[in-house]
Amino acid sequence: MARREKQSPRLILAAVLLCLAGSASAFNEQGHRLVVQLAELRLNDGAKAALEDLYGPRWQVDLVNLANWADDHAPDEELRTVLFDADDEGFDAAKHCPRNRCVVGAILESRTVLIRNSFEKSDKRRAMQFLIHFITDLHVPVNAGLKRDDAGRLIALKTSELERVNLNWIWNESLYREFEAPVFATAQRYQREITEEEAQQWLSSMSVVDWAWETHEIAMDVAYPLAVRGEYDAAYRREAVPVLETQLKKAAVRLAALLNELYGDS
């Protein structure tokens, strides 16, 4: 099945910009703040100037503080995920993102708002906040997981305290508890750890579709196999946390590259 990134002529700009109180489960704020903080360290002068124009001189602080804004304002839960069948061989827009209503469509539509001069600055600020949030969501493995188990929500695991938790909660909430250092210090460490070779590899494609399929493959290679035992314990966390950290690094590197490309270096 060939990957396609051609979008429906009917954009969902209004849906992305609409500020509705969402019923989505609360994603852990730390992951989104980490991605924004790390991305800020990788911006060029053009992107920094554009963000200062949008948010003012405190744009760096404001963007980090707004990293989880979309949790309360995202129109629909479906805009946070892109889900596949087990036998899929790639992304197909008509099947996996009908009417652009998936995280891939949300990212592309947010980008469109930022590009078009016809939108007001207030619209562009909201689009930016959706963009940075959804790029993080896209890189969490279960958010590109399987449709049959609702992105891991229907897969139950047992903790060492014999509590029942689900796979989606583990990757979108619990694993962040293992990140003990403050967000800024962690972002600084990530920046030091990312090699030029890694960054180049992660940026070999700037296609959001490719990012989604890559995340799906990680879900199938890591998140789901680790759940086979049915136990959420220290062994699971030891395997999962490094994978999640790498995904957050990727999200930040790609977010920064997207903004650098969008606004240039002048």
Side-chain angles (χ1 to χ4, degrees), residues 75-196:
D76 293 295
E77 180 67 25
E78 64 186 337
L79 294 182
R80 302 170 185 273
T81 62
V82 54
L83 302 180
F84 298 88
D85 293 325
D87 59 352
D88 284 336
E89 298 179 356
F91 176 92
D92 180 270
K95 177 180 181 181
H96 302 117
C97 199
R99 304 180 307 284
N100 281 8
R101 299 197 66 78
C102 74
V103 68
V104 171
I107 290 170
L108 293 175
E109 297 298 353
S110 298
R111 182 178 182 274
T112 297
V113 174
L114 294 172
I115 290 172
R116 292 188 176 178
N117 294 327
S118 56
F119 288 94
E120 301 291 334
K121 187 175 288 189
S122 59
D123 293 332
K124 290 180 180 290
R125 283 194 293 267
R126 290 197 293 272
M128 181 67 69
Q129 289 148 214
F130 280 127
L131 179 75
I132 61 180
H133 193 93
F134 289 138
I135 284 181
T136 303
D137 288 350
L138 175 63
H139 285 80
V140 177
V142 292
N143 293 344
L146 295 173
K147 186 183 304 182
R148 69 188 182 195
D149 54 57
D150 192 22
R153 291 181 181 85
L154 302 181
I155 296 180
L157 293 88
K158 185 171 58 178
T159 70
S160 55
E161 291 78 26
L162 303 183
E163 297 175 335
R164 290 174 65 84
V165 298
N166 71 69
L167 190 63
N168 188 282
W169 175 83
I170 288 171
W171 284 87
N172 280 301
E173 298 280 353
S174 180
L175 289 177
Y176 293 109
R177 299 176 185 178
E178 305 300 309
F179 297 16
E180 297 179 357
V183 168
F184 180 74
T186 304
Q188 293 279 351
R189 174 170 64 84
Y190 285 0
Q191 174 72 343
R192 293 191 298 270
E193 291 174 350
I194 297 170
T195 67
E196 185 62 30

Side-chain angles (χ1 to χ4, degrees), residues 11-20 73-76 79 101 130:
L11 300 174
I12 59 164
L13 299 177
V16 172
L17 293 174
L18 188 60
C19 292
L20 298 177
H73 297 87
D76 293 295
L79 294 182
R101 299 197 66 78
F130 280 127

